[in-house]
Amino acid sequence: MSETERLWKQMDSILQKKKECFVCHTTRDLECHHCLPGTWRRKLSEEYGLKVWLCHEHHTGRTGVHADPKFMLELKQYAQTVFVGKYGSELWMQRFGKNYL
């Protein structure tokens, strides 16, 4: 099993169902992006499935989420919106402690 296949099996995202770049929809050079950074928020992102697939360019390239604070905020907001729709805003604040909306 390839590294990408192993990651996909672990993925279980509530934000994305298809194994493709969240931005450009390519299926090549995919990397898993946790929408909430930092050690404990990253673990919570993993626990609740707040992650998306991004191609290398949209993940760590010059147009990627790690180089673009606006893009980073948009993914955090999307993650919060989906989470709140599924689990409620009270649990969001209990678990993540920050409102990105």
Side-chain angles (χ1 to χ4, degrees):
M1 178 182 304
S2 74
E3 180 66 13
T4 300
E5 290 169 328
R6 186 183 67 72
L7 285 171
W8 181 249
K9 284 189 172 279
Q10 293 176 349
M11 181 90 172
D12 292 334
S13 173
I14 66 169
L15 306 178
Q16 180 181 32
K17 297 300 175 205
K18 287 187 174 182
K19 186 180 174 182
E20 63 185 16
C21 178
F22 191 72
V23 178
C24 68
H25 308 290
T26 186
T27 57
R28 299 175 54 116
D29 301 320
L30 297 174
E31 300 169 358
C32 178
H33 174 73
H34 294 81
C35 293
L36 301 163
T39 303
W40 67 273
R41 284 193 179 112
R42 181 183 167 102
K43 286 179 183 178
L44 290 174
S45 291
E46 186 72 36
E47 180 180 338
Y48 287 103
L50 301 176
K51 48 197 175 176
V52 294
W53 285 110
L54 295 171
C55 67
H56 181 73
E57 178 59 31
H58 286 118
H59 191 220
T60 57
R62 58 187 171 81
T63 63
V65 68
H66 290 284
D68 184 347
K70 183 179 178 226
F71 183 18
M72 179 76 78
L73 177 60
E74 288 170 351
L75 282 179
K76 289 174 184 174
Q77 290 172 331
Y78 180 64
Q80 182 176 348
T81 300
V82 173
F83 182 97
V84 167
K86 185 171 178 134
Y87 300 110
S89 57
E90 186 176 323
L91 184 60
W92 174 268
M93 290 308 290
Q94 286 174 356
R95 300 296 283 158
F96 295 95
K98 187 168 182 178
N99 184 357
Y100 296 102
L101 301 177

